[in-house]
Amino acid sequence: MRALICGAGIAGLTLAWHLERDGWDVKIVERAPRFRHGGYMIDFYGPGMEVAKQMGIRPRLLATQYPIDEVDYVNGEGRRTSGVTFTGVLGDGLNVMREDLAQALHDEVRSPIVYSTSIESIRRHADSVAVRLTDGTREEVDLLVGADGAHSRVRELTFGPEEHFVRYLGRQTAAYTLKDEELHREIGMRFRSLTVPGLMVAAYSQRDDGLAVLFLRQEPDPRLPDDIVAELTRHYGHLGWILPKVLSLRPPASEIYYDQVNQVEMDEWSKGRVVLIGDACQAVSLFAGYGASLAMAGAWVLADELRGAGRHVPGALTRYHARMAGPVAEIQRFGRQSLEWVAPGTRGRIVARDMFMRLMNLPGANRLMVAPLATAGKGLIKPHSAPLIDQTGRA
Ligand SMILES: Cc1cc2nc3c(=O)[nH]c(=O)nc-3n(C[C@H](O)[C@H](O)[C@H](O)COP(=O)(O)OP(=O)(O)OC[C@H]3O[C@@H](n4cnc5c(N)ncnc54)[C@H](O)[C@@H]3O)c2cc1C
């Protein structure tokens, strides 16, 4: 059986890993010219961690994790106004950079990844899918998977335009990393965040004098700016704190992650033998902080349903959606409720957030913050009675 996966992100790589070991012949196409670095820090726990354990990559994640268990809110002078400690809240979860998780997955995948390539057109047949790639080649496969993120091309070609499925949450986000010894020392191993009405900036230190920065801005217009560097400078340049230096040391625009904050909601995730996974069909947004975990869970559940389905692929795709839909809706609801806490729109809300954070420091209270997520997706990932073995006998 042949599968073509569009998108070498968290979901696509996880699915490739599982299908390879189940004997599928897998090919991945990725629009970017090379493996994509960059992104932000992930709270990685829940079903994604269960999948990571089964794949054997948890030790590698432990080696690259950042032990961040404190969030400090600061003002324009860098003075702390409130904060919360998270020690133990993630259970066996951890904080890891998105790129370290993606790299750990990438290094375990054996299937070819064809970079600078996407999907030009799709023709669905009863027993196969005919695909024309942007490099001019054609593929005839048993399964086509759209793992190409919130702005999925496979979704557009199969289900229609983005605006039917994407719910814009009124925010735009950016993230990048830089190197600076002084900033690294000043921020330390804490998540430090500055919030003014409608704007949020967070910074946290990384290995080797690195600093990761995350920006979040309220913006009613979903259109992305043409010049993201000018946009960042215009909105954040006057905020004080470490911003002037952080902006002057930014990488080139091509290395800055910049996107709308979106959720993707769809009633069906497959048509015939074309299926979507990850953000393409279930984006929960950074407010839920669960996107990567859920992307890995979705890939796992899809592989689980395909196992044993033989040629009855469409039925397996329908069952995969039925298993995922409930947890995804629950986490999306949580994400929308968190909006005003993560990036308050008014001064009053910022004051309320600071008061709430002080309460969260009472013994055990901080667990309440992740309580809705602690149960969501529980039971999605069944334990394997034996290690996953591929056809070549390798675990
Ligand atoms: C470099 C990078 C940085 C990120 N940083 C953040 C961040 O700071 N904050 C945040 O909330 N989320 C961020 N995300 C999104 C986050 O990683 C996802 O929400 C989550 O991991 C779900 O994974 P996914 O595999 O569905 O999507 P993604 O991890 O987004 O992967 C999708 C992959 O598909 C590829 N792709 C897209 N379109 C096409 C196409 N037409 N043809 C072929 N390939 C295509 C992309 O290049 C990407 O490699 C980032 C994603 C990337 C790729």
Side-chain angles (χ1 to χ4, degrees):
M1 300 274 275
R2 296 194 65 217
L4 179 68
I5 299 176
C6 180
I10 306 293
L13 293 169
T14 306
L15 182 67
W17 188 96
H18 285 88
L19 292 185
E20 285 168 6
R21 280 150 183 86
D22 288 339
W24 286 70
D25 176 4
V26 181
K27 176 173 173 174
I28 306 170
V29 289
E30 164 61 50
R31 185 177 57 181
R34 64 192 77 85
F35 173 76
R36 293 189 68 179
H37 293 275
Y40 62 120
M41 186 77 79
I42 298 168
D43 291 338
F44 188 63
Y45 60 115
M49 180 54 93
E50 293 306 312
V51 177
K53 282 183 200 164
Q54 288 188 16
M55 294 173 72
I57 61 168
R58 188 163 191 271
R60 175 147 174 195
L61 298 180
L62 281 170
T64 53
Q65 71 166 327
Y66 288 91
I68 293 179
D69 55 10
E70 237 184 289
V71 176
D72 273 359
Y73 293 98
V74 301
N75 61 18
E77 286 83 50
R79 234 175 314 111
R80 186 177 188 276
T81 56
S82 68
V84 65
T85 306
F86 281 101
T87 316
V89 167
L90 295 183
D92 66 354
L94 40 82
N95 293 110
V96 65
M97 291 300 288
R98 181 206 169 273
E99 64 182 6
D100 289 333
L101 173 61
Q103 187 77 57
L105 295 167
H106 170 271
D107 292 352
E108 297 295 324
V109 167
R110 304 171 203 144
S111 308
I113 303 177
V114 185
Y115 287 98
S116 302
T117 305
S118 183
I119 303 227
E120 184 71 46
S121 64
I122 298 170
R123 185 166 295 179
R124 283 180 282 120
H125 304 298
D127 288 322
S128 66
V129 188
V131 183
R132 193 147 58 87
L133 300 178
T134 49
D135 64 5
T137 56
R138 289 168 195 273
E139 299 279 345
E140 187 92 18
V141 292
D142 300 286
L143 177 68
L144 171 65
V145 183
D148 44 353
H151 307 290
S152 169
R153 169 80 174 148
V154 174
R155 185 185 63 216
E156 184 189 17
L157 290 171
T158 311
F159 296 91
E162 175 160 326
E163 49 274 23
H164 294 176
F165 312 109
V166 171
R167 182 204 283 247
Y168 176 58
L169 296 184
R171 308 284 197 284
Q172 298 195 0
T173 184
Y176 60 76
T177 55
L178 56 91
K179 296 253 184 234
D180 186 75
E181 197 185 331
E182 199 182 295
L183 286 175
H184 175 91
R185 211 172 334 104
E186 181 177 337
I187 297 300
M189 276 301 147
R190 279 170 300 181
F191 189 94
R192 305 194 88 199
S193 170
L194 169 66
T195 318
V196 299
L199 293 176
M200 193 277 272
V201 185
Y204 33 94
S205 290
Q206 296 187 289
R207 274 173 290 280
D208 306 325
D209 294 335
L211 190 79
V213 198
L214 174 72
F215 301 85
L216 196 58
R217 184 170 63 84
Q218 228 168 12
E219 173 56 69
D221 186 348
R223 282 174 304 178
L224 296 178
D226 293 331
D227 185 344
I228 58 174
V229 169
E231 193 76 354
L232 289 175
T233 309
R234 187 156 71 89
H235 290 288
Y236 299 93
H238 64 283
L239 290 185
W241 188 35
I242 55 172
L243 267 304
K245 195 164 184 190
V246 157
L247 289 167
S248 72
L249 293 175
R250 63 167 195 277
S254 59
E255 287 170 34
I256 298 176
Y257 172 80
Y258 196 106
D259 204 353
Q260 305 159 340
V261 179
N262 286 330
Q263 293 188 333
V264 174
E265 293 164 312
M266 302 180 74
D267 294 334
E268 47 177 4
W269 291 359
S270 64
K271 262 193 188 159
R273 289 165 173 268
V274 181
V275 67
L276 304 175
I277 59 171
D279 278 6
C281 56
Q282 63 176 38
V284 291
S285 84
L286 67 86
F287 294 111
Y290 218 64
S293 179
L294 210 55
M296 289 180 69
W300 188 96
V301 171
L302 176 56
D304 192 46
E305 288 297 343
L306 286 167
R307 209 168 288 134
R311 299 211 59 81
H312 303 293
V313 170
L317 305 186
T318 308
R319 289 193 298 278
Y320 143 73
H321 175 229
R323 279 170 72 177
M324 291 298 297
V328 167
E330 201 178 326
I331 293 163
Q332 288 185 329
R333 232 181 349 263
F334 175 82
R336 292 193 294 274
Q337 285 162 2
S338 311
L339 260 173
E340 275 295 317
W341 291 110
V342 180
T346 63
R347 224 163 266 292
R349 290 272 191 170
I350 295 174
V351 172
R353 193 262 334 260
D354 285 350
M355 279 167 61
F356 178 74
M357 289 302 159
R358 278 180 214 119
L359 285 176
M360 283 300 110
N361 283 315
L362 296 173
N366 58 11
R367 283 177 199 280
L368 295 175
M369 290 180 78
V370 292
L373 296 181
T375 49
K378 226 180 183 141
L380 262 182
I381 309 302
K382 289 178 282 178
H384 270 280
S385 48
L388 293 168
I389 304 288
D390 71 8
Q391 291 206 326
T392 58
R394 286 163 57 180

